[in-house]
Amino acid sequence: PEHLLDYYIKSVGRNTNMLIGMAISADGDFQDEEQFVEFGKLLKETFGTPLYEKTDLTGNTFIIKNDENRQMKYLLLCEDIRDGHNINGFSVFADDRKIYEGKCIGHKRIIPLGNITANEIRIEADGTEHTPILKSVSVC
């Protein structure tokens, strides 16, 4: 399950699909069911209940306050792509220190934060043709 979580973050978390080859045995049974059940549990445990979440945000700067001083493992960004991809560059800051820089958000971007504690996470979008819209920003 931990290996699948890593693949999930490196595929779905980078705006793509996660394709898993699952083989069915000759008797119609699925031999590896347990690992996928555990993977589902791990996904829910990791991302199911965000520490902080904001939805339907418009603008070039998005801020999440960590008033309770919790450790943060992942930042999830979801761009509103109904009218296409718009954000062509973005930076993430933890208490005014740049910790990540990327080019694309798209449907979903998962950024590992490595158990940081910061008072504020700030996302600054740049390289946009139109006003950026994020469907959601959450921290787990």
Side-chain angles (χ1 to χ4, degrees):
E2 291 80 13
H3 187 70
L4 290 171
L5 180 63
D6 184 54
Y7 276 148
Y8 180 85
I9 291 167
K10 291 177 179 173
S11 59
V12 173
R14 292 181 182 167
N15 193 34
T16 190
N17 297 317
M18 180 177 170
L19 302 176
I20 302 173
M22 298 181 283
I24 305 296
S25 66
D27 64 0
D29 194 18
F30 181 62
Q31 303 297 321
D32 294 331
E33 180 179 356
E34 181 67 25
Q35 71 175 333
F36 294 107
V37 169
E38 293 302 314
F39 171 55
K41 289 178 186 175
L42 186 57
L43 275 177
K44 286 179 185 174
E45 180 184 301
T46 305
F47 302 113
T49 307
L51 300 172
Y52 306 98
E53 184 172 30
K54 291 187 175 187
T55 59
D56 301 319
L57 302 166
T58 303
N60 287 63
T61 302
F62 311 98
I63 296 174
I64 297 270
K65 296 277 189 184
N66 184 15
D67 296 328
E68 296 176 28
N69 211 24
R70 295 177 170 174
Q71 278 192 334
M72 300 174 283
K73 294 180 182 180
Y74 298 99
L75 172 66
L76 286 78
L77 306 173
C78 297
E79 187 175 358
D80 184 338
I81 57 172
R82 286 179 289 185
D83 294 324
H85 166 79
N86 186 41
I87 298 173
N88 298 315
F90 68 99
S91 299
V92 177
F93 298 84
D95 291 338
D96 294 322
R97 181 177 52 92
K98 187 185 283 189
I99 59 170
Y100 188 85
E101 190 170 48
K103 300 249 184 237
C104 172
I105 293 175
H107 171 70
K108 184 179 285 185
R109 170 68 73 163
I110 300 174
I111 301 165
L113 299 174
N115 291 325
I116 67 166
T117 303
N119 294 318
E120 177 182 284
I121 297 290
R122 186 176 76 247
I123 302 101
E124 292 184 0
D126 54 24
T128 61
E129 198 170 309
H130 306 285
T131 302
I133 302 172
L134 291 183
K135 191 164 55 173
S136 67
V137 174
S138 56
V139 175
C140 298

